Each structure stands twice: as C-alpha cells, then as structure tokens.
Amino acid sequence: GLINLSENTRNYSSDFFNYNYFEGGRIHVDRKFTFRFYTILIKRYKKSGNLLEIGCSFGNLLKRLEKDFSTYGIDKSKDAIKHGKNICKKSKTFVGDATNLSMFQDNFFDVVISLHTLEHLNDPGKAIAEVYRILKNNGLFIFATPNTSCLLKNLKGNEWHGYRDESHVSLLEPHKWVALVEDKGFKVMKTFSDGFWDAPYIPLIPTKIQ
C-alpha cells in the first residue's frame, strides 16, 4: 500500500471521545495563540466563503472564523458538539465521521481545516478523499498532525505526545502524508512545523519559556 499505518488498528467509537477525553487532554481550552495563528494562516489565502473544520471539538477556532466565513464543524464526539453550541453560536455543527462527509455536497467548501484529527483515523486517506470531493476548485485544505520527524521527539521517548494518546492510530512520517494527499488529487502548497508543543523537553528550564 501507499502508507504504513501504526500497529494499533482499533476503532474508537464516539463514546471514547467523551467529555473526559477533552477535559483530560485540555483540548477544550481556548488556545488563543494557536487558534490566532491558524486564523491568520487561513485568511492569508482565503478571505471569505464556506469553511468546514473537521474535528472541531468545542468550536473555539470556529468562533474566531464566524465573522468572515460561513462556518461548519464536524466532530465524532457528541459531548464536544453539545458543549460547542454555546461557543460557536453562528456555526452549523454536526456529529459525524471524517471518512463520511455525505451531508455535504460536492464542491461546496472554500476551506477545510483539520487540526490533529487525521491521526485518529484508521483510514485517513478516505477522509482526505472526502475533503477533496467537497472542496471547490482551488479550495484550501489545511491539516496538522503529530510530527513523527520532530527533532526533539526522541527526548520524550514513549512520553512524546503523539504516543500518549492511544487513539493515535495513524502516525505517519511527513513525506507519507504528502504522498497520501497528492494521491487523492491535491497539490501541496507548503509543509512546515508549527513548533515544539510538548514542553518541557529540557530539565531546569521552566516549561513556559520552552
């Protein structure tokens, strides 16, 4: 096959991604710097239009984008969608699976963004194919996953954030993600790392500084 998935091929139901999952991982927190960064990145290429976030969690990113876009969100977690209704109030959000976006028509979205969701899927290629289907010509797809080529990953060993979450079933090397999206029809504009987000790495230096 085109890619080699992790050995863990267990399916994780929506019940696994309950409120405790988000609370334990602090995923629901409004990560202002991160979401501001991605808002700026999106608007560098697209100023308006229809936008979908896959794995929208509680909707803190969608909330920032509602002013300029017609925003939609999908998440496997019923709890996340329920609690997000009070955060991204203008967005249309759905409980659903990233590998089946049949509720959306072809060529509908100008932007699709997915932050740390694809690594939870046994078949991320199927989700990427669905994204390609629902995007307009010249549409923008931005996604982030744990970087298995991270320079400091070996310092963390088994405690690296990519390994700590048992539902990370598709941890691929960057070049394999590139090959996968190109195989589904995308042209890759840019790849990059957005930093070392698993501090602390170095003893004695305060975590906030790192």
Side-chain angles (χ1 to χ4, degrees):
L2 180 65
I3 58 176
N4 293 318
L5 300 182
S6 304
E7 292 182 0
N8 185 353
T9 57
R10 176 181 168 191
N11 266 319
Y12 289 84
S13 69
S14 58
D15 292 335
F16 177 85
F17 300 101
N18 56 28
Y19 189 85
N20 289 333
Y21 174 86
F22 291 90
E23 179 71 16
R26 306 294 289 168
I27 299 172
H28 70 289
V29 173
D30 188 356
R31 295 170 288 173
K32 295 180 179 179
F33 178 85
T34 301
F35 293 142
R36 180 175 180 272
F37 170 81
Y38 280 104
T39 298
I40 292 171
L41 182 63
I42 290 169
K43 294 177 72 174
R44 180 181 299 172
Y45 298 100
K46 299 289 183 181
K47 304 299 182 184
S48 61
N50 296 325
L51 179 147
L52 170 67
E53 183 180 10
I54 297 175
C56 60
S57 182
F58 287 11
N60 288 299
L61 176 58
L62 287 176
K63 180 181 178 180
R64 282 171 164 72
L65 296 163
E66 287 177 335
K67 179 181 178 181
D68 299 300
F69 294 88
S70 296
T71 48
Y72 299 74
I74 185 170
D75 201 289
K76 197 171 187 177
S77 169
K78 298 175 183 178
D79 283 354
I81 293 299
K82 177 182 177 181
H83 289 279
K85 296 289 186 184
N86 295 320
I87 295 175
C88 52
K89 297 180 179 179
K90 296 180 181 179
S91 300
K92 298 178 181 178
T93 55
F94 308 87
V95 176
D97 192 315
T99 61
N100 180 7
L101 302 176
S102 57
M103 71 281 289
F104 304 120
Q105 66 189 47
D106 295 0
N107 308 311
F108 181 73
F109 289 103
D110 298 275
V111 181
V112 175
I113 184 166
S114 181
L115 304 181
H116 295 280
T117 298
L118 296 182
E119 66 268 22
H120 295 274
L121 307 176
N122 282 318
D123 189 357
K126 188 174 181 180
I128 292 169
E130 277 287 82
V131 172
Y132 188 85
R133 177 185 66 79
I134 63 177
L135 268 177
K136 297 178 181 178
N137 290 334
N138 297 316
L140 177 69
F141 179 34
I142 297 174
F143 72 94
T145 68
N147 181 8
T148 57
S149 296
C150 172
L151 294 175
L152 299 182
K153 183 185 74 170
N154 290 339
L155 292 178
K156 305 289 285 193
N158 290 333
E159 288 303 310
W160 178 58
H161 73 100
Y163 296 146
R164 287 200 304 267
D165 189 331
E166 65 177 277
S167 66
H168 286 173
V169 294
S170 292
L171 293 173
L172 309 182
E173 297 173 356
H175 74 275
K176 291 184 178 180
W177 285 114
V178 170
L180 186 56
V181 296
E182 289 180 339
D183 180 66
K184 301 305 178 184
F186 283 98
K187 177 182 177 181
V188 177
M189 298 170 64
K190 189 174 183 179
T191 62
F192 60 93
S193 172
D194 61 358
F196 301 110
W197 291 103
D198 198 20
Y201 287 95
I202 304 171
L204 304 180
I205 298 178
T207 299
K208 287 187 177 181
I209 294 176
Q210 295 188 51

